[in-house]
Amino acid sequence: MSPFDHRKYQSFAPVRMPSRRWPDRQLERAPIWCSVDLRDGNQALIEPMTSRQKSRLWDQLVKIGLKEIEVGFPSASGHDYNFVRDLIDNDRIPADVTVQVLTQARPDLIEKTFEALRGVRRAIVHVYNSTSTVQREQVFGLERAGIVDIAVRGAQLVKECAARYPETEWVFEYSPESFTGTELDFAVEICNAVTAVWQPTPQRPAIINLPATVEMSTPNVYADQIEWFCDRIERRDSLLISLHTHNDRGCAVAAAELGVLAGADRVEGTLMGNGERTGNMDIVTMAMNLYSQGIDPELQLGHMDEIIQTVKECTRLPVHPRHPYAGELVFTAFSGSHQDAIKKCLAKRDPREPWQVAYLPIDPADIGRSYQEVIRINSQSGKGGIAYVMERDYGYELPRWLQIDFSAAVQIHAEAQETEVSPEAIYQLFERTYLTGERRWQLGDYQVKRADQVDQLQAELLDGSTRHALTGSGNGVVASFVDAMQRFTGKQVVLVEYSEHALSHSAEAEAVCYIQLNIEGERYCGVGRSPDIIEASLAGILGAINKAAEQDQLAA
């Protein structure tokens, strides 16, 4: 028998609900959001975040507008414990932001959790234990009563510990872990037992989190589970029903959206969906889905390139070019018919009317992007074979986003010449566009020093006969120079993409760096080439800055 055999699996049993109500509802407002990037997202990384990366991601989550942020598992990790203490001791938690911490329902872990939180203004203590059938039978070897006892004893200790710190406003959260694999009547039973201990009120509700720890069914079945649970749980008016969906079946966002229709009040997730195994619910996607329907997501996602860059640098994970809303190609049309339809819609668009543009569900400008159309690029397409020609004949491995940028210049040149563009002409155009053309600013001397894991850069910028002294700092030379140019120009400058390679394999090989910046909501590409990789990087950044300056001059 082949090992690829579907007969070893069984279909998930549906919930018998002939009177379900959620299919007739419509999303009308955003749920309460809770980011779990710093805990669930962090534990899913091959290399967990450093303290500096956690700190940077924390600042970004606050800037986005998230009001509930899970900051770690302080009882199980010294790094998490220290990070929580840093936030509290250095007064880094805004008054309108609540930190959340996770702990198993174990006495030693609960005690240490409260130690980590001493002195915090407001905090959510999230306690959990496994409740699913397979966990009970095959992992713990306990009957239902034994699992309920673990949860109740954990809830009692949480309540006792909270009473020792009356200066803090405590919020209690409980998760029957692997809710989707737990019998619904048992999920209700154990949650009722926990809330009987906590005695929440409408004024001080508790959070009941119903995680799809493993996504086991279609999203509609998960919604049925949520509605069934909400209809039968006690003290419903004193509870916030929370969702924590995972992406094992690729439906985490859909399950969360339908779960909110089914009665949930709150959603836990991560930026870009990073999480264990196949990922968590993607807050960016779900929030932008609401936005595209005219619903305020209550999050500020207009600086999307900055968000992406922060996530990439902190997680060391790429963002897929087709990622909804955030991917580099989602507002790019390759198809001629798509390009034609988009052009016509944009030409007819009345800005006073609701957005209706073919193939573009939202206005790219809303998140700091612009629509791009691209000639197809492959080795057989004549003037479209740009990337193939540049690598085959000249050794330049143009990243996809630079192919898109450069193809526009080639297309303009080809249309002006009314003839096929030769490889030599393509290369000369590339040199003029990115490397040898007249530029307002030139790079002079520079010096980089490193102290306390932060790079400090001092550089000289030449503007004709005028010399400007620049200073900047950051995690690396590139970040330091971007910081310096942001200070010098007074404009928001975000590094979007960076790529580099050697032009040959010899010891004297030149390095070439490709840079893409977002400057005040517009993207600009630059290329730097030098025997020194640092100089090539700085030249590439300056090339993009100069392109932005040229556009400003044309607009003036």
Side-chain angles (χ1 to χ4, degrees):
M1 184 178 70
S2 168
F4 187 76
D5 185 358
H6 67 279
R7 291 172 293 180
K8 73 169 80 169
Y9 306 103
Q10 56 186 348
S11 60
F12 194 87
V15 181
R16 300 300 176 190
M17 288 184 60
S19 59
R20 61 178 59 85
R21 303 180 302 281
W22 65 262
D24 294 325
R25 294 176 182 153
Q26 185 174 3
L27 292 173
E28 297 177 347
R29 63 180 181 274
I32 300 167
W33 302 106
C34 177
S35 159
V36 295
D37 292 83
L38 293 167
R39 199 279 306 169
D40 206 349
N42 187 44
Q43 77 174 26
L45 299 175
I46 298 172
E47 296 180 35
M49 283 180 265
T50 64
S51 298
R52 184 176 297 280
Q53 289 168 327
K54 280 186 179 181
S55 182
R56 182 178 179 192
L57 187 52
W58 162 266
D59 290 339
Q60 186 65 253
L61 294 170
V62 171
K63 183 176 180 178
I64 288 169
L66 286 148
K67 304 304 180 187
E68 296 183 2
I69 302 173
E70 189 169 81
V71 291
F73 202 139
S75 60
S77 164
H79 289 295
D80 283 8
Y81 188 99
N82 293 336
F83 180 66
V84 173
R85 290 311 316 165
D86 175 69
L87 294 178
I88 298 169
D89 294 339
N90 292 299
D91 196 24
R92 296 185 57 201
I93 306 171
D96 61 347
V97 173
T98 302
V99 294
Q100 174 173 307
V101 294
L102 185 69
T103 179
Q104 289 177 307
R106 286 172 42 189
D108 56 328
L109 299 183
I110 291 172
E111 295 272 5
K112 191 170 183 179
T113 296
F114 279 88
E115 287 178 21
L117 289 168
R118 68 186 184 281
V120 72
R121 182 192 59 81
R122 187 175 192 268
I124 300 168
V125 176
H126 182 183
V127 62
Y128 74 95
N129 66 310
S130 297
T131 60
S132 69
T133 309
V134 69
Q135 292 266 29
R136 294 197 315 264
E137 295 178 352
Q138 300 188 38
V139 179
F140 299 107
L142 291 173
E143 300 294 332
R144 286 187 178 189
I147 300 296
V148 172
D149 184 58
I150 292 172
V152 168
R153 283 189 286 111
Q156 289 170 338
L157 184 55
V158 164
K159 187 175 182 180
E160 291 169 10
C161 289
R164 300 175 198 164
Y165 303 91
E167 72 279 7
T168 295
E169 180 184 346
W170 298 106
V171 179
F172 301 150
E173 176 175 354
Y174 173 70
S175 284
E177 192 199 7
S178 299
F179 164 78
T180 46
T182 302
E183 304 91 333
L184 286 175
D185 65 317
F186 182 50
V188 169
E189 176 189 342
I190 196 168
C191 290
N192 281 340
V194 168
T195 59
V197 173
W198 287 342
Q199 290 295 308
T201 65
Q203 292 73 35
R204 298 198 65 176
I207 300 169
I208 295 296
N209 189 54
L210 304 176
T213 308
V214 178
E215 188 175 34
M216 305 172 72
S217 68
T218 50
N220 63 299
V221 174
Y222 181 67
D224 282 346
Q225 291 175 313
I226 301 303
E227 185 170 292
W228 196 99
F229 182 94
C230 288
D231 285 347
R232 289 162 177 80
I233 191 70
E234 296 173 0
R235 306 174 187 85
R236 178 65 182 93
D237 65 343
S238 300
L239 302 176
L240 295 173
I241 302 300
S242 177
L243 309 177
H244 184 117
T245 57
H246 280 220
N247 207 39
D248 301 86
R249 294 170 54 93
C251 302
V253 170
E257 290 182 332
L258 298 191
V260 172
L261 288 177
D265 310 291
R266 181 178 184 268
V267 170
E268 296 185 348
T270 62
L271 302 179
M272 312 299 166
N274 170 49
E276 271 207 289
R277 305 186 314 277
T278 55
N280 281 35
M281 205 292 300
D282 184 341
I283 289 177
V284 169
T285 298
M286 183 170 173
M288 290 303 302
N289 284 352
L290 296 175
Y291 181 84
S292 72
Q293 301 298 304
I295 300 170
D296 182 2
E298 300 178 16
L299 298 176
Q300 178 48 255
L301 301 173
H303 54 298
M304 190 66 75
D305 282 343
E306 179 186 315
I307 294 169
I308 293 167
Q309 188 62 24
T310 300
V311 171
K312 286 165 63 176
E313 289 190 8
C314 293
T315 65
R316 301 184 184 92
L317 294 174
V319 172
H320 196 283
R322 301 295 183 188
H323 185 288
Y325 305 103
E328 66 181 75
L329 295 181
V330 295
F331 301 117
T332 300
F334 287 84
S335 162
S337 61
H338 288 197
Q339 293 173 0
D340 182 64
I342 293 170
K343 278 183 178 178
K344 289 177 178 175
C345 289
L346 290 174
K348 295 179 179 178
R349 170 158 166 70
D350 184 343
R352 296 168 297 183
E353 296 294 324
W355 179 263
Q356 282 190 313
V357 175
Y359 302 110
L360 296 180
I362 67 163
D363 185 350
D366 292 352
I367 57 171
R369 296 282 186 81
S370 59
Y371 159 67
Q372 294 173 298
E373 61 181 39
V374 184
I375 54 177
R376 287 187 175 273
I377 299 173
N378 59 58
S379 61
Q380 304 299 318
S381 60
K383 66 180 181 181
I386 302 165
Y388 177 78
V389 166
M390 289 297 293
E391 182 171 2
R392 180 195 64 188
D393 295 349
Y394 303 102
Y396 285 86
E397 302 168 13
L398 305 188
R400 185 162 33 196
W401 43 270
L402 189 62
Q403 294 172 20
I404 293 169
D405 189 75
F406 184 41
S407 67
V410 174
Q411 188 171 25
I412 292 170
H413 179 81
E415 290 174 352
Q417 297 297 314
E418 297 183 344
T419 184
E420 185 172 335
V421 184
S422 69
E424 293 81 5
I426 290 176
Y427 178 70
Q428 290 169 8
L429 182 61
F430 181 83
E431 291 258 305
R432 291 197 304 273
T433 303
Y434 299 108
L435 294 169
T436 62
E438 291 187 11
R439 299 290 184 262
R440 176 179 176 182
W441 291 310
Q442 302 290 330
L443 181 65
D445 294 335
Y446 62 87
Q447 185 178 34
V448 182
K449 295 182 179 179
R450 189 165 181 81
D452 297 326
Q453 297 183 317
V454 176
D455 289 291
Q456 304 287 342
L457 179 138
Q458 293 181 320
E460 190 177 56
L461 198 64
L462 310 179
D463 183 1
S465 59
T466 305
R467 296 172 181 267
H468 302 277
L470 307 182
T471 60
S473 62
N475 186 18
V477 176
V478 170
S480 302
F481 193 50
V482 169
D483 178 58
M485 292 306 301
Q486 183 165 257
R487 297 183 191 190
F488 175 71
T489 61
K491 297 182 177 181
Q492 185 183 43
V493 181
V494 177
L495 177 67
V496 178
E497 298 286 354
Y498 174 92
S499 181
E500 65 179 59
H501 66 83
L503 279 176
S504 75
H505 298 292
S506 68
E508 295 78 23
E510 282 192 303
V512 60
C513 290
Y514 311 107
I515 301 287
Q516 187 178 62
L517 302 179
N518 183 313
I519 303 173
E520 295 289 315
E522 295 292 332
R523 290 188 175 191
Y524 300 92
C525 294
V527 179
R529 187 179 65 197
S530 171
D532 178 68
I533 185 62
I534 294 178
E535 186 173 1
S537 300
L538 303 187
I541 293 169
L542 198 54
I545 296 282
N546 275 315
K547 279 186 171 293
E550 290 168 13
Q551 289 297 318
D552 289 344
Q553 288 177 345
L554 291 173

